[in-house]
Amino acid sequence: MPDTEMLELLKQRLQRKQYKLTMQRRTVLEILLEHPGEHLSAEDVYGALRDKSSDIGLATVYRTLELLVQLGILQRMEFGDGCNRYEIADIEKNEHQHHHLICIKCGKVTEFFDDLLDELEADVAAKSGFKITDHQVKFYGYCKECQDELENK
C-alpha cells in the first residue's frame, strides 16, 4: 500500500478517535512509513527528523509516539535491551501482529508472520475465561550470520 494511502487510513483512524492528524503526528508517521520493518526508537525518529531539518523536539516525538500507541496506531516493542521501538500497527482488525526473531549477538531483528498459536490462544481463553485480543512472540537466539561467525572461531 503506498504511503499516501496508508497516511489516509491512519488519518481516518485518528479522526474516529476524535484526534486530528497534526503536522507533528503526520511527520512522525511519515518517518515510520519511510522505514518499514526497522523498529525505530524515539531517538531514531528524532534523528531522521533532524536529517530532514525538522524543528520537532525530542519531547514532542516521545509524546506523539506514546499517544499513537495509546490510540492503537503504533505498536511499542521492547527487544530485551531496555529500548522501546515503534512500528505501524496492523490495519486489519482481529489480525495478529507479526512476531520477531532477535539475535542476542548482533541485535538484528527479523519479522515472521506465521501464526501458529491460534489453538493455544483459544485453549487459554477457554480455560481462563480471559478474552485475548492479541499476542506477541519473541524468539531470542543467533541469526545465520552470527551462527556462522561463532562456528568459524
Side-chain angles (χ1 to χ4, degrees), residues 4-152:
T4 53
E5 288 180 38
M6 181 64 96
L7 269 173
E8 185 57 35
L9 285 172
L10 295 171
K11 178 181 175 182
Q12 291 170 9
R13 289 177 78 183
L14 276 165
Q15 288 172 338
R16 281 194 301 270
K17 296 175 188 258
Q18 309 301 315
Y19 286 86
K20 292 181 180 179
L21 182 61
T22 63
M23 185 275 300
Q24 289 91 346
R25 292 173 190 154
R26 179 184 182 97
T27 305
V28 167
L29 287 169
E30 286 173 347
I31 294 296
L32 291 164
L33 288 169
E34 290 169 5
H35 297 88
E38 290 189 36
H39 311 99
L40 301 179
S41 68
E43 291 79 10
D44 294 333
V45 171
Y46 179 67
L49 291 169
R50 301 291 293 168
D51 290 346
K52 290 184 167 203
S53 301
S54 173
D55 61 353
I56 297 173
L58 183 57
T60 300
V61 170
Y62 273 104
R63 282 192 306 272
T64 301
L65 291 170
E66 287 307 309
L67 173 67
L68 296 172
V69 167
Q70 290 171 12
L71 296 175
I73 291 170
L74 296 183
Q75 180 183 12
R76 180 187 324 111
M77 295 156 291
E78 199 274 318
F79 296 128
D81 61 358
C83 179
N84 287 325
R85 291 183 174 75
Y86 303 86
E87 66 183 356
I88 304 290
D90 290 338
I91 293 296
E92 297 297 320
K93 289 186 178 183
N94 301 322
E95 181 178 313
H96 290 301
Q97 300 290 336
H98 54 269
H99 305 302
H100 298 93
L101 306 171
I102 303 154
C103 181
I104 56 177
K105 184 171 189 306
C106 70
K108 177 180 170 184
V109 177
T110 305
E111 298 176 347
F112 71 99
F113 296 89
D114 291 346
D115 195 348
L116 308 173
L117 299 178
D118 288 336
E119 286 182 37
L120 175 62
E121 188 176 286
D123 188 47
V124 169
K127 288 178 180 174
S128 66
F130 190 80
K131 181 180 178 182
I132 299 170
T133 59
D134 200 2
H135 63 259
Q136 293 182 20
V137 176
K138 299 175 200 171
F139 290 102
Y140 295 88
Y142 296 98
C143 67
K144 181 69 175 135
E145 293 79 14
C146 289
Q147 288 177 59
D148 291 345
E149 187 178 308
L150 290 170
E151 291 173 5
N152 292 326

